[in-house]
Amino acid sequence: MADREKQAGAVLTIDLGAIRANYRFLRSQLAGASCGAAVKADAYGLGAIHVAKALAAEGCDHFFVAHLDEGIALRPHLPASADIFVLHGPLPDTELEFVEHRLIPVLNSASQVAGWRQAARIAARRLPAVVQVDTGMSRLGLSRQEVENWLYDPDFLRGIDLCYLMTHLACAERQDHPMNAAQLEAFQALRKKLPQCRTSFANSSGIFLGQKYHGDLVRPGAALYGIAPVQGASNPMQSVVTLKARVIQTRVIDRGDCVGYGGTYRAAGRRRIATIATGYADGWLRSFSGRGFAHVDGVPVPVVGNVSMDTLALDVTDVSADRVHAGAYVDLISASQPVDDVAALAGTIGYEILTSLGARYHRDYVDTQTPRAAQRQPSTEFSI
Ligand SMILES: *Cc1c(COP(=O)(O)O)cnc(C)c1O
């Protein structure tokens, strides 16, 4: 075992080959559209630099981050030909940093458009941008009124090269949700009125709503990372993440003994309890208290009592003591319990489980698709 791995309480394995395979699969669903990638929030907690490089090697050249600083951090790691779009657009007085770092803003309001016009004046050249219009989510994007004003203002985009007109789906993972068709119709109506340009429409789930929802550039995130894109259907994506955590100690407790803060679990009989080196500070949410599972060689072992900051407790009475001892691993995310199942146990979504993954895990980047000898990425972040 590598030293770093030995020193850590848990090991998070991220399969870049599976991410690349998922990218190819999503691309195969498109007719004419380009396939970008959402790598915001550190690529959903998996490491934006590793992930974006792996995707760039697969031919991806459109990357979406949320914040300006995410774009600045990513820029030096991608080829000059790659476009990095910043979904939040420029907050006041940050426009020139976008120019300096060659980041393309998504302009979400008339005032962001005005700021970008001003930046183009100062830079004394035309500047690229995406303009987002709101089609029903009421989160980011020009309102209906702002779009109307645009129609009567020939100077609205003065100095701005409009790369894409963009909107975002609110309910795409539910294929029967009426909001999908309503947003499609609203977007098509707006396009007819506005200057002709390419469009960017679907996220992961939107890709599976059919080609009408693709536009010219899709922006998947979650599906790349193995999250199921269609609610109620089987998951066509390869799993990307596994998480295993180590046993610190085991103990036998008797009937009436409590486990953990608050004493919320009281043993009904003699039980063997393992204390595991992962807690809510590692993103193993406190809402798993008393209801999550870990797995030992595919056998589910229940979480008992409240999850602590640095530990959780498992009832391992039903598995062999030879298998669960100090230093042994138990599986928290695995084939037995993929990310979406973990999320369901905690009453949340896979997105939140991934983006909560902790900083204390030892991260092992592997590529199961490519023979190990041919791998270009180093297998761990810390290898020398
Ligand atoms: C996060 C995000 C995406 C990616 O969505 P997934 O559901 O993860 O595929 C695409 N577009 C916008 C505007 C986003 O905020």
Side-chain angles (χ1 to χ4, degrees):
M1 196 186 296
D3 275 355
R4 293 280 188 175
E5 186 171 328
K6 205 165 106 187
Q7 292 161 5
V11 177
L12 179 71
T13 304
I14 296 154
D15 186 346
L16 295 173
I19 294 177
R20 290 193 291 110
N22 287 337
Y23 180 78
R24 290 194 299 271
F25 176 73
L26 293 175
R27 198 169 51 190
S28 76
Q29 305 298 300
L30 309 175
S34 303
C35 195
V39 294
K40 59 189 181 182
D42 202 24
Y44 294 43
L46 304 188
I49 290 168
H50 286 88
V51 168
K53 281 171 137 175
L55 290 171
E58 211 52 58
C60 179
D61 53 9
H62 300 82
F63 296 88
F64 291 85
V65 295
H67 299 259
L68 169 60
D69 53 7
E70 293 181 310
I72 292 173
L74 191 55
R75 179 80 272 178
H77 300 280
L78 287 177
S81 60
D83 285 333
I84 302 175
F85 302 96
V86 179
L87 291 164
H88 290 179
L91 289 167
D93 299 327
T94 60
E95 290 85 357
L96 295 181
E97 299 199 53
F98 280 73
V99 179
E100 181 186 343
H101 297 279
R102 285 188 306 108
L103 302 171
I104 302 179
V106 175
L107 304 175
N108 294 301
S109 64
S111 67
Q112 285 195 336
V113 174
W116 201 236
R117 281 197 305 263
Q118 164 90 356
R121 269 199 303 276
I122 294 169
R125 62 182 167 90
R126 298 182 67 77
L127 295 177
V130 173
V131 171
Q132 176 161 217
V133 289
D134 179 47
T135 53
M137 191 175 177
S138 310
R139 184 176 70 170
L140 293 170
L142 270 62
S143 65
R144 224 167 313 168
Q145 187 56 54
E146 287 176 317
V147 172
E148 288 299 320
N149 297 345
W150 175 1
L151 296 176
Y152 295 102
D153 180 359
D155 288 334
F156 189 72
L157 292 183
R158 180 184 285 273
I160 298 175
D161 282 330
L162 181 57
C163 311
Y164 293 96
L165 187 70
M166 170 182 146
T167 196
H168 189 53
L169 290 158
C171 307
E173 72 283 1
R174 285 150 68 189
Q175 297 205 321
D176 57 357
H177 201 292
M179 187 97 173
N180 298 323
Q183 288 194 267
L184 174 64
E185 201 176 313
F187 193 43
Q188 285 173 340
L190 285 170
R191 281 193 64 196
K192 284 201 192 109
K193 300 188 199 171
L194 291 169
Q196 281 311 298
C197 80
R198 287 169 295 173
T199 58
S200 179
F201 196 3
N203 64 339
S204 300
S205 301
I207 292 173
F208 296 89
L209 292 173
Q211 280 166 23
K212 280 187 294 195
Y213 289 84
H214 295 175
D216 299 297
L217 172 64
V218 298
R219 312 181 300 273
L224 290 171
Y225 312 124
I227 291 175
V230 181
Q231 208 175 76
S234 67
N235 187 357
M237 312 314 299
Q238 291 195 19
S239 103
V240 168
V241 167
T242 59
L243 176 63
K244 55 180 188 174
R246 303 183 89 190
V247 176
I248 306 170
Q249 63 173 214
T250 61
R251 69 182 64 244
V252 173
I253 60 170
D254 286 317
R255 180 194 156 98
D257 287 344
C258 293
V259 176
Y261 284 118
T264 54
Y265 172 84
R266 191 178 288 274
R270 209 172 160 77
R271 311 301 296 169
R272 210 154 59 83
I273 301 296
T275 301
I276 308 299
T278 285
Y280 62 74
D282 304 294
W284 204 255
L285 310 177
R286 196 164 181 278
S287 49
F288 285 116
S289 295
R291 51 195 193 125
F293 291 90
H295 286 79
V296 177
D297 301 331
V299 177
V301 287
V303 173
V304 291
N306 283 330
V307 175
S308 296
M309 183 183 292
D310 312 297
T311 63
L312 57 88
L314 299 172
D315 179 346
V316 295
T317 312
D318 295 340
V319 292
S320 153
D322 298 345
R323 178 56 185 81
V324 182
H325 52 79
Y329 282 106
V330 300
D331 294 319
L332 293 176
I333 302 174
S334 65
S336 307
Q337 183 169 261
V339 172
D340 289 304
D341 293 9
V342 168
L345 285 169
T348 183
I349 55 176
Y351 295 66
E352 194 179 23
I353 297 298
L354 290 188
T355 55
S356 302
L357 290 169
R360 293 192 292 195
Y361 298 140
H362 173 73
R363 288 171 174 241
D364 198 6
Y365 287 91
V366 301
D367 185 341
T368 55
Q369 311 281 305
T370 312
R372 230 178 150 78
Q375 287 180 26
R376 289 173 27 207
Q377 293 270 353
S379 65
T380 76
E381 203 166 3
F382 302 105
S383 59
I384 307 156

